[in-house]
Amino acid sequence: MSEFLVSEEKIEELANLVSQKTGVPPEELRRKLDTLLDGRQPVVNDKIMGILNNPQMLEALLRSEKVQKLLRNTLGG
């Protein structure tokens, strides 16, 4: 697996951005992201981290109606 080094500051910034878009507290988002990344195959981790490292891609993903609906349903919002 290629190693993505994302600073804690960047992760917190992204969690805050997602929180603003979804209304879900950043702490809950971090917990769910940690759970998602634990035990996943390296290719999946690489793809997820690739999205997290690309603000434009993350923003486009968060604007997607399907993603917003999925997040609301999954996170109970």
Side-chain angles (χ1 to χ4, degrees):
M1 174 171 113
S2 64
E3 190 68 29
F4 286 95
L5 299 176
V6 180
S7 69
E8 283 297 316
E9 181 179 290
K10 183 67 173 175
I11 292 172
E12 186 169 328
E13 179 183 324
L14 293 169
N16 288 331
L17 174 65
V18 173
S19 178
Q20 290 172 2
K21 300 285 184 182
T22 63
V24 177
E27 300 80 21
E28 183 176 344
L29 293 168
R30 281 292 298 271
R31 201 170 40 253
K32 291 201 181 270
L33 178 61
D34 289 343
T35 300
L36 177 67
L37 292 176
D38 285 343
R40 296 290 179 180
Q41 294 179 343
V43 172
V44 174
N45 286 346
D46 288 350
K47 288 181 180 182
I48 291 170
M49 295 309 293
I51 292 169
L52 293 177
N53 282 318
N54 184 328
Q56 293 83 13
M57 187 181 287
L58 182 61
E59 182 73 25
L61 183 67
L62 290 174
R63 287 185 180 161
S64 164
E65 184 178 320
K66 288 181 181 180
V67 170
Q68 288 185 13
K69 183 178 179 181
L70 176 66
L71 287 170
R72 280 192 301 272
N73 291 340
T74 302
L75 300 174

